[in-house]
Amino acid sequence: MIAATAIDARFAVYSRATHGSYIALAAPGVDLQLAARNGTVELRSGTSYAVPFVVAAAVELKAA
């Protein structure tokens, strides 16, 4: 199992995300631009948005 958290553009941990020494990887997850249903772009934040980045990084680390 890998513990992950979300960070912002300044590499600060997302205030509503998990914090602790057990975190293995951190990835973008704050104020990400996402497509909205009405065709516009909206900003979203959360650890769920960091997950695809963490999975890709874990795969790369394992392959190295």
Side-chain angles (χ1 to χ4, degrees), residues 25-58:
L25 294 170
V30 179
D31 292 335
L32 299 179
Q33 293 184 0
L34 303 175
R37 288 184 183 177
N38 61 5
T40 63
V41 173
E42 54 188 31
L43 296 179
R44 293 291 180 141
S45 298
T47 54
S48 295
Y49 299 110
V51 170
F53 295 103
V54 169
V55 171

Side-chain angles (χ1 to χ4, degrees), residues 1-4 22-25 54 58:
M1 187 177 312
I2 297 174
Y22 55 90
I23 300 294
L25 294 170
V54 169

